[in-house]
Amino acid sequence: ISAVLIEEGFPYIDGYKPRVNYQDRLRVEVVARLVADAPLAAAAAAVVSAEVGQVSIDRSLDAIWVPVPAAGPRGNRALERAVPAAVPRLGVNYLEREASNASLGSAGERFVLEFEHRRLWEAGARHLADRIEHVARTRGDGLGFDIASFDSDGSERLIEVKTTSFGPLTPFFASNREVVVSDERSDQFCLYRVFRFRTAPQLFIIAGSLRRGCLLEPVQFRATLP
């Protein structure tokens, strides 16, 4: 069920890992249920679009920084067959909508700024903590990363922040520029995935190229006339 929800752009059931090798009949039933439940759709729309205020770190960094979660067996994607034409589709991708929530993105970046400052401060690199730059604000959002920070040895760490209110296995959306920068500057690039942001925020870090650390799926194309 979680796999169907994710593929339909709907928040999955936190605690139930998505498994992609489901039968078509399950997808038919889940999608039909979602389409028929207007209050559920309205609740999802309200959550992903809601404004987010400042969230401060009130726990130890060890309680916030967790390992990259294991998604579990991918299954046999050949079992994913096309949904019959008669089956309704949601028509709204709530995960994309959440990814476009500017207040959530900004709040997540501020959260990571505080996290980085404390990480360096606790590592004894206070002089580096004072040099962290929120480049998405100071230089614009087209660099392919949001924050210029440091490792405790002084080497540069380029941080892209992706924030969600949902569970750690919720897909995120990366721009072409972010993927390219993660390739070209893989020794410095880190993606911070912040999750469960509205309740008890935590994060994990994907270091290096996103092509190696993630399964990238093209979801949009730029088309020009031949």
Side-chain angles (χ1 to χ4, degrees):
I1 292 174
S2 286
V4 176
L5 292 173
I6 286 176
E7 290 184 7
E8 291 295 325
F10 205 89
Y12 77 99
I13 304 169
D14 198 3
Y16 290 83
K17 289 185 176 180
R19 298 181 181 274
V20 300
N21 57 333
Y22 55 79
Q23 296 181 347
D24 282 342
R25 185 60 185 170
L26 174 64
R27 184 170 193 162
V28 169
E29 293 297 329
V30 172
V31 173
R33 177 72 176 85
L34 293 175
V35 170
D37 195 332
L40 181 61
V47 168
V48 300
S49 302
E51 294 287 319
V52 181
Q54 178 65 39
V55 175
S56 296
I57 295 176
D58 57 1
R59 293 168 289 159
S60 70
L61 298 190
D62 288 340
I64 294 172
W65 183 4
V66 300
V68 177
R74 296 294 301 171
N76 183 359
R77 297 193 72 87
L79 295 178
E80 297 179 71
R81 295 175 293 278
V83 178
V87 177
R89 303 303 296 266
L90 289 182
V92 177
N93 190 314
Y94 294 101
L95 300 182
E96 284 188 4
R97 219 178 247 193
E98 188 198 40
S100 299
N101 185 330
S103 69
L104 177 64
S106 295
E109 291 171 13
R110 293 194 298 271
F111 182 83
V112 171
L113 282 167
E114 182 178 349
F115 178 91
E116 284 296 285
H117 192 276
R118 282 186 53 177
R119 178 181 65 81
L120 290 170
W121 187 271
E122 292 177 8
R126 299 179 182 180
H127 63 294
L128 296 175
D130 293 335
R131 292 171 54 195
I132 296 172
E133 182 181 358
H134 191 182
V135 296
R137 292 293 182 89
T138 59
R139 300 190 230 168
D141 59 1
L143 296 176
F145 58 97
D146 299 311
I147 296 168
S149 186
F150 302 90
D151 291 328
S152 57
D153 63 1
S155 56
E156 195 172 16
R157 181 180 293 198
L158 310 179
I159 300 173
E160 173 63 27
V161 183
K162 301 292 184 182
T163 307
T164 182
S165 299
F166 307 118
L169 296 178
T170 302
F172 58 86
F173 298 86
S175 70
N176 180 67
R177 179 62 178 163
E178 290 160 3
V179 174
V180 169
V181 171
S182 78
D183 284 339
E184 294 179 346
R185 306 184 70 175
S186 59
D187 291 343
Q188 301 164 306
F189 187 89
C190 290
L191 187 140
Y192 282 40
R193 180 50 161 164
V194 184
F195 59 95
R196 299 193 186 108
F197 189 71
R198 297 177 192 270
T199 53
Q202 292 179 290
L203 64 83
F204 59 85
I205 300 174
I206 300 173
S209 171
L210 293 177
R211 297 185 197 276
R212 294 196 301 268
C214 306
L215 294 173
L216 299 181
E217 178 184 2
V219 295
Q220 188 174 2
F221 296 90
R222 182 178 65 185
T224 59
L225 295 178

mmCIF file of all heavy atoms in Angstrom, residues 81-101:
data_model
loop_
_atom_site.group_PDB
_atom_site.id
_atom_site.type_symbol
_atom_site.label_atom_id
_atom_site.label_comp_id
_atom_site.label_asym_id
_atom_site.label_seq_id
_atom_site.Cartn_x
_atom_site.Cartn_y
_atom_site.Cartn_z
ATOM 1 N N ARG A 81 2.715 -3.529 -13.730
ATOM 2 C CA ARG A 81 2.060 -3.456 -15.029
ATOM 3 C C ARG A 81 1.232 -2.183 -15.106
ATOM 4 O O ARG A 81 0.875 -1.590 -14.102
ATOM 5 C CB ARG A 81 1.171 -4.691 -15.228
ATOM 6 C CG ARG A 81 1.992 -5.979 -15.304
ATOM 7 C CD ARG A 81 1.083 -7.188 -15.378
ATOM 8 N NE ARG A 81 0.334 -7.385 -14.146
ATOM 9 C CZ ARG A 81 0.839 -7.998 -13.077
ATOM 10 N NH1 ARG A 81 2.075 -8.452 -13.091
ATOM 11 N NH2 ARG A 81 0.117 -8.165 -11.997
ATOM 12 N N ALA A 82 0.926 -1.774 -16.308
ATOM 13 C CA ALA A 82 0.148 -0.552 -16.496
ATOM 14 C C ALA A 82 -1.233 -0.706 -15.878
ATOM 15 O O ALA A 82 -1.844 -1.770 -15.948
ATOM 16 C CB ALA A 82 0.016 -0.253 -17.986
ATOM 17 N N VAL A 83 -1.703 0.357 -15.261
ATOM 18 C CA VAL A 83 -3.037 0.341 -14.684
ATOM 19 C C VAL A 83 -4.065 0.416 -15.811
ATOM 20 O O VAL A 83 -3.926 1.236 -16.728
ATOM 21 C CB VAL A 83 -3.223 1.534 -13.717
ATOM 22 C CG1 VAL A 83 -4.626 1.541 -13.150
ATOM 23 C CG2 VAL A 83 -2.192 1.460 -12.606
ATOM 24 N N PRO A 84 -5.090 -0.435 -15.790
ATOM 25 C CA PRO A 84 -6.111 -0.381 -16.836
ATOM 26 C C PRO A 84 -6.694 1.014 -16.971
ATOM 27 O O PRO A 84 -6.791 1.766 -16.005
ATOM 28 C CB PRO A 84 -7.159 -1.390 -16.344
ATOM 29 C CG PRO A 84 -6.404 -2.329 -15.459
ATOM 30 C CD PRO A 84 -5.338 -1.497 -14.808
ATOM 31 N N ALA A 85 -7.092 1.373 -18.178
ATOM 32 C CA ALA A 85 -7.590 2.718 -18.455
ATOM 33 C C ALA A 85 -8.798 3.074 -17.607
ATOM 34 O O ALA A 85 -9.055 4.233 -17.322
ATOM 35 C CB ALA A 85 -7.923 2.838 -19.936
ATOM 36 N N ALA A 86 -9.577 2.077 -17.195
ATOM 37 C CA ALA A 86 -10.793 2.348 -16.439
ATOM 38 C C ALA A 86 -10.515 2.742 -14.992
ATOM 39 O O ALA A 86 -11.393 3.233 -14.299
ATOM 40 C CB ALA A 86 -11.704 1.119 -16.459
ATOM 41 N N VAL A 87 -9.284 2.526 -14.533
ATOM 42 C CA VAL A 87 -8.957 2.840 -13.149
ATOM 43 C C VAL A 87 -8.696 4.330 -13.015
ATOM 44 O O VAL A 87 -7.894 4.896 -13.755
ATOM 45 C CB VAL A 87 -7.711 2.057 -12.695
ATOM 46 C CG1 VAL A 87 -7.330 2.440 -11.274
ATOM 47 C CG2 VAL A 87 -7.979 0.566 -12.801
ATOM 48 N N PRO A 88 -9.365 5.032 -12.104
ATOM 49 C CA PRO A 88 -9.142 6.472 -11.937
ATOM 50 C C PRO A 88 -7.740 6.749 -11.401
ATOM 51 O O PRO A 88 -7.147 5.906 -10.745
ATOM 52 C CB PRO A 88 -10.218 6.880 -10.929
ATOM 53 C CG PRO A 88 -10.520 5.629 -10.162
ATOM 54 C CD PRO A 88 -10.359 4.504 -11.150
ATOM 55 N N ARG A 89 -7.229 7.925 -11.680
ATOM 56 C CA ARG A 89 -5.952 8.374 -11.139
ATOM 57 C C ARG A 89 -6.209 9.614 -10.296
ATOM 58 O O ARG A 89 -7.191 10.327 -10.491
ATOM 59 C CB ARG A 89 -4.974 8.699 -12.270
ATOM 60 C CG ARG A 89 -4.717 7.548 -13.229
ATOM 61 C CD ARG A 89 -4.207 6.306 -12.534
ATOM 62 N NE ARG A 89 -2.923 6.499 -11.914
ATOM 63 C CZ ARG A 89 -1.750 6.203 -12.494
ATOM 64 N NH1 ARG A 89 -1.728 5.703 -13.704
ATOM 65 N NH2 ARG A 89 -0.613 6.386 -11.856
ATOM 66 N N LEU A 90 -5.305 9.865 -9.355
ATOM 67 C CA LEU A 90 -5.514 10.982 -8.439
ATOM 68 C C LEU A 90 -5.488 12.330 -9.155
ATOM 69 O O LEU A 90 -6.279 13.212 -8.857
ATOM 70 C CB LEU A 90 -4.448 10.956 -7.347
ATOM 71 C CG LEU A 90 -4.550 9.835 -6.309
ATOM 72 C CD1 LEU A 90 -3.458 9.996 -5.275
ATOM 73 C CD2 LEU A 90 -5.909 9.833 -5.642
ATOM 74 N N GLY A 91 -4.548 12.501 -10.047
ATOM 75 C CA GLY A 91 -4.454 13.770 -10.768
ATOM 76 C C GLY A 91 -3.712 14.851 -10.017
ATOM 77 O O GLY A 91 -3.424 15.910 -10.571
ATOM 78 N N VAL A 92 -3.376 14.623 -8.737
ATOM 79 C CA VAL A 92 -2.622 15.591 -7.936
ATOM 80 C C VAL A 92 -1.463 14.856 -7.282
ATOM 81 O O VAL A 92 -1.659 13.821 -6.645
ATOM 82 C CB VAL A 92 -3.499 16.237 -6.844
ATOM 83 C CG1 VAL A 92 -2.669 17.180 -5.988
ATOM 84 C CG2 VAL A 92 -4.673 16.959 -7.457
ATOM 85 N N ASN A 93 -0.250 15.362 -7.455
ATOM 86 C CA ASN A 93 0.909 14.782 -6.791
ATOM 87 C C ASN A 93 1.193 15.615 -5.539
ATOM 88 O O ASN A 93 1.774 16.698 -5.617
ATOM 89 C CB ASN A 93 2.111 14.768 -7.727
ATOM 90 C CG ASN A 93 3.259 13.957 -7.170
ATOM 91 O OD1 ASN A 93 3.617 14.076 -6.001
ATOM 92 N ND2 ASN A 93 3.854 13.124 -8.016
ATOM 93 N N TYR A 94 0.769 15.116 -4.396
ATOM 94 C CA TYR A 94 0.902 15.871 -3.160
ATOM 95 C C TYR A 94 2.363 15.969 -2.712
ATOM 96 O O TYR A 94 2.745 16.934 -2.036
ATOM 97 C CB TYR A 94 0.054 15.239 -2.063
ATOM 98 C CG TYR A 94 -1.428 15.330 -2.350
ATOM 99 C CD1 TYR A 94 -2.124 14.233 -2.857
ATOM 100 C CD2 TYR A 94 -2.117 16.511 -2.139
ATOM 101 C CE1 TYR A 94 -3.479 14.321 -3.138
ATOM 102 C CE2 TYR A 94 -3.470 16.609 -2.413
ATOM 103 C CZ TYR A 94 -4.144 15.513 -2.917
ATOM 104 O OH TYR A 94 -5.487 15.607 -3.204
ATOM 105 N N LEU A 95 3.190 14.995 -3.090
ATOM 106 C CA LEU A 95 4.604 15.060 -2.721
ATOM 107 C C LEU A 95 5.315 16.165 -3.496
ATOM 108 O O LEU A 95 6.165 16.866 -2.941
ATOM 109 C CB LEU A 95 5.267 13.704 -2.968
ATOM 110 C CG LEU A 95 4.665 12.523 -2.187
ATOM 111 C CD1 LEU A 95 5.434 11.252 -2.466
ATOM 112 C CD2 LEU A 95 4.606 12.816 -0.690
ATOM 113 N N GLU A 96 4.962 16.342 -4.773
ATOM 114 C CA GLU A 96 5.513 17.464 -5.533
ATOM 115 C C GLU A 96 5.028 18.787 -4.956
ATOM 116 O O GLU A 96 5.786 19.766 -4.893
ATOM 117 C CB GLU A 96 5.096 17.359 -6.994
ATOM 118 C CG GLU A 96 5.851 16.314 -7.793
ATOM 119 C CD GLU A 96 5.529 16.384 -9.266
ATOM 120 O OE1 GLU A 96 4.772 17.295 -9.666
ATOM 121 O OE2 GLU A 96 6.019 15.531 -10.018
ATOM 122 N N ARG A 97 3.778 18.806 -4.538
ATOM 123 C CA ARG A 97 3.228 20.030 -3.967
ATOM 124 C C ARG A 97 3.969 20.400 -2.688
ATOM 125 O O ARG A 97 4.284 21.566 -2.440
ATOM 126 C CB ARG A 97 1.735 19.809 -3.673
ATOM 127 C CG ARG A 97 0.878 21.007 -3.985
ATOM 128 C CD ARG A 97 -0.581 20.696 -3.704
ATOM 129 N NE ARG A 97 -1.340 20.670 -4.927
ATOM 130 C CZ ARG A 97 -2.671 20.680 -4.959
ATOM 131 N NH1 ARG A 97 -3.357 20.687 -3.836
ATOM 132 N NH2 ARG A 97 -3.305 20.674 -6.104
ATOM 133 N N GLU A 98 4.254 19.405 -1.866
ATOM 134 C CA GLU A 98 4.986 19.690 -0.637
ATOM 135 C C GLU A 98 6.394 20.178 -0.947
ATOM 136 O O GLU A 98 6.909 21.087 -0.298
ATOM 137 C CB GLU A 98 5.060 18.444 0.253
ATOM 138 C CG GLU A 98 5.642 18.785 1.623
ATOM 139 C CD GLU A 98 6.145 17.588 2.395
ATOM 140 O OE1 GLU A 98 6.755 16.684 1.782
ATOM 141 O OE2 GLU A 98 5.960 17.566 3.624
ATOM 142 N N ALA A 99 7.031 19.571 -1.955
ATOM 143 C CA ALA A 99 8.383 19.980 -2.326
ATOM 144 C C ALA A 99 8.432 21.429 -2.794
ATOM 145 O O ALA A 99 9.485 22.071 -2.750
ATOM 146 C CB ALA A 99 8.928 19.056 -3.413
ATOM 147 N N SER A 100 7.290 21.962 -3.237
ATOM 148 C CA SER A 100 7.215 23.353 -3.695
ATOM 149 C C SER A 100 6.802 24.321 -2.585
ATOM 150 O O SER A 100 6.657 25.516 -2.836
ATOM 151 C CB SER A 100 6.219 23.464 -4.856
ATOM 152 O OG SER A 100 6.627 22.672 -5.953
ATOM 153 N N ASN A 101 6.611 23.799 -1.381
ATOM 154 C CA ASN A 101 6.206 24.635 -0.249
ATOM 155 C C ASN A 101 7.418 25.449 0.218
ATOM 156 O O ASN A 101 8.319 24.936 0.881
ATOM 157 C CB ASN A 101 5.677 23.746 0.879
ATOM 158 C CG ASN A 101 5.131 24.544 2.046
ATOM 159 O OD1 ASN A 101 5.579 25.651 2.328
ATOM 160 N ND2 ASN A 101 4.146 23.995 2.738
#
